[in-house]
Amino acid sequence: MKKRIWLSPPHMGRNELSFVQEAFDTNWIAPLGPNVDAFEKELSLLFNGNYVAAVNSGTAALHLALNLLNVSNGDEVICQTFTFAASANPVVYLGATPVFVDSEPDTWNMDPELLEKAIQDRLSLGKNIKAVVVVNLYGMPAKMEQILAVASKYSIPVIEDAAESLGSSINNIPCGTFGSVGVISFNGNKIITTSSGGVLISNNEDFILSAKHLATQAKDPGPFYQHSKIGYNYKMSNVLAGIGLGQLSVLNERIAARRDNYNRYFNYFSAWNQKGFNIEFQLEPAGYFSNRWLTCILIDPAKNKGIDIEPIRLIFEQNQIEVRSLWKPMHLQPVFSGMPCYLNGISDRLFDIGLCLPSGSSLTDEDFDRIFECFDMVFSKQ
Ligand SMILES: *Cc1c(COP(=O)(O)O)cnc(C)c1O
């Protein structure tokens, strides 16, 4: 049986185990501890001195971010529809309603013009919009300048769901630092991982202090346990922060490897495009830098001799290679049916014709040979 090629498996570096060993040696098997402190400090440097709070998942970080912006029962939060459900679920945890906004075709992220239309329409209906959640999908930064301009025109804070875009930037400004609060995920499939983990980022120190308070059960200071607020158990484990410290030391290598993957795919498909196909990519606008967490392609059957993505996925499955559709938009999810949405057809198209390709930083030349052999079969048949 062939070795399975995964979409985005964890890729450990050289130092993770020594940090974990240190946690064992010093018996810091706890949430909080020196690894968590060091992890937060290094992340803070990476995010240009912004304040950070390490937590136990990206979803928890988003939940806390919405809390900090006082999202509660009856409020609305505008959210990118083309995303993973974790961008929107925490809105519902707080009793608020997600309002979904479609994407623009350049970065595949939230369309700033449609965002403004949605805001105007919700306001005309008397709704209370507490936040905008914008996502940098597959590592590609959204049109942040335009989105921030629209949001600030209506005084609505922006949460940047940068779960997939650690190391990405626009004009050298790091993703995660654009909004009032930014969120990164260290889940096992992300560009670096703590197995599960996340971080909140903000230039507002009070936000980060509040986030840490809420994440540790909201204990009031004092000799006994007193609580004035409902808290959560969201702190990052000191053991897992050790994995994170090791992973941070190889982040630049991981980004380089993922960008290299993208270039290999780009060159490969460009050769097919010269032979009459029209495979599309998620291109970087000028000044944009994507960590290329996942390489994704669009194969529109109308422009590619009738080729559909589902038969392609099956060929790869038979060959023990994982490829996957792009995110199914939230407005098409059964759980969000009936939620307000502002659509333009872009995310529907991306879902219908898009594929995520194996993009791990540990892919080998042999892995690429197997992947390209499968695509050779698909395209040479036409
Ligand atoms: C992974 C991811 C999350 C959630 O992060 P977890 O650490 O898995 O909870 C949120 N949003 C997006 C866009 C993601 O890809």
Side-chain angles (χ1 to χ4, degrees):
M1 183 99 146
K2 283 183 203 158
K3 178 195 88 169
R4 185 160 173 86
I5 300 176
W6 298 99
L7 202 67
S8 180
H11 184 186
M12 290 299 106
R14 298 166 286 274
N15 302 320
E16 289 82 358
L17 271 179
S18 62
F19 289 109
V20 171
Q21 186 65 49
E22 194 175 314
F24 274 68
D25 292 345
T26 54
N27 207 27
W28 271 105
I29 314 296
L32 306 172
N35 281 342
V36 176
D37 295 343
F39 191 51
E40 288 179 341
K41 211 165 164 184
E42 285 198 23
L43 284 167
S44 174
L45 288 175
L46 208 62
F47 294 113
N48 292 343
N50 276 272
Y51 302 96
V52 304
V55 293
N56 58 14
S57 74
T59 310
L62 283 160
H63 191 187
L64 292 173
L66 292 160
N67 250 289
L68 297 173
L69 299 174
N70 295 314
V71 173
S72 67
N73 233 350
D75 292 334
E76 290 194 345
V77 171
I78 295 185
C79 183
Q80 189 163 317
T81 189
F82 187 53
T83 187
F84 175 50
S87 305
N89 284 341
V91 175
V92 180
Y93 301 166
L94 292 166
T97 302
V99 174
F100 296 114
V101 169
D102 218 318
S103 292
E104 36 79 14
D106 299 335
T107 75
W108 304 358
N109 295 305
M110 187 181 280
D111 181 335
E113 286 175 26
L114 202 51
L115 169 64
E116 179 153 27
K117 279 198 192 125
I119 292 174
Q120 289 173 345
D121 193 49
R122 301 321 292 169
L123 291 177
S124 76
L125 293 169
K127 303 296 184 185
N128 200 6
I129 310 166
K130 281 292 187 61
V132 172
V133 179
V134 60
V135 193
N136 306 315
L137 281 184
Y138 309 116
M140 183 64 70
K143 296 205 167 161
M144 291 309 308
E145 189 184 336
Q146 294 88 326
I147 284 169
L148 290 170
V150 170
S152 82
K153 185 167 158 190
Y154 298 90
S155 304
I156 304 170
V158 170
I159 296 173
E160 188 187 5
D161 179 351
E164 303 176 0
S165 57
L166 177 62
S168 302
S169 58
I170 304 174
N171 297 324
N172 293 318
I173 300 169
C175 284
T177 66
F178 286 99
S180 299
V181 191
V183 164
I184 302 273
S185 165
F186 302 108
N187 190 42
N189 62 340
K190 299 302 200 287
I191 191 156
I192 61 169
T193 181
T194 58
S195 75
S196 176
V199 69
L200 267 103
I201 305 146
S202 181
N203 63 9
N204 181 337
E205 188 176 16
D206 289 340
F207 273 179
I208 294 304
L209 292 173
S210 295
K212 289 184 177 182
H213 179 65
L214 287 171
T216 43
Q217 310 284 20
K219 284 195 280 260
D220 292 340
F224 42 77
Y225 278 54
Q226 174 177 298
H227 307 269
S228 311
K229 271 185 186 165
I230 296 292
Y232 305 91
N233 185 6
Y234 279 171
K235 276 307 289 182
M236 178 176 276
S237 145
N238 191 60
V239 179
L240 302 187
I243 301 177
L245 282 170
Q247 288 272 280
L248 271 184
S249 69
V250 291
L251 174 61
N252 289 337
E253 291 170 44
R254 299 298 180 258
I255 295 169
R258 300 238 179 195
R259 287 180 61 85
D260 218 45
N261 292 339
Y262 173 85
N263 289 330
R264 283 174 91 146
Y265 283 121
F266 184 86
N267 292 333
Y268 171 81
F269 290 112
S270 296
W272 283 112
N273 282 352
Q274 302 208 321
K275 293 180 195 157
F277 291 91
N278 190 347
I279 298 135
E280 298 162 68
F281 285 86
Q282 191 183 24
L283 300 171
E284 283 170 333
Y288 276 51
F289 180 89
S290 168
N291 67 9
R292 295 294 184 191
W293 172 56
L294 296 185
T295 295
C296 304
I297 52 170
L298 305 180
I299 306 180
D300 185 340
K303 299 180 192 169
N304 289 284
K305 310 182 187 186
I307 297 178
D308 274 314
I309 55 168
E310 185 53 16
I312 298 181
R313 198 185 63 78
L314 291 174
I315 290 176
F316 277 83
E317 205 45 57
Q318 281 157 16
N319 285 277
Q320 282 295 314
I321 302 171
E322 185 183 24
V323 301
R324 205 187 288 164
S325 282
L326 303 193
W327 298 123
K328 180 170 184 169
M330 294 305 109
H331 70 271
L332 297 177
Q333 297 288 351
V335 72
F336 291 125
S337 74
M339 296 291 146
C341 49
Y342 296 83
L343 306 176
N344 58 17
I346 303 279
S347 62
D348 288 350
R349 175 174 187 264
L350 292 168
F351 175 60
D352 285 342
I353 64 172
L355 273 183
C356 303
L357 306 178
S359 302
S361 44
S362 50
L363 282 173
T364 63
D365 289 345
E366 292 72 40
D367 293 339
F368 270 106
D369 288 345
R370 281 174 58 194
I371 293 164
F372 291 150
E373 255 171 53
C374 287
F375 274 118
D376 285 346
M377 271 196 290
V378 171
F379 291 112
S380 56
K381 260 200 283 191
Q382 303 305 314

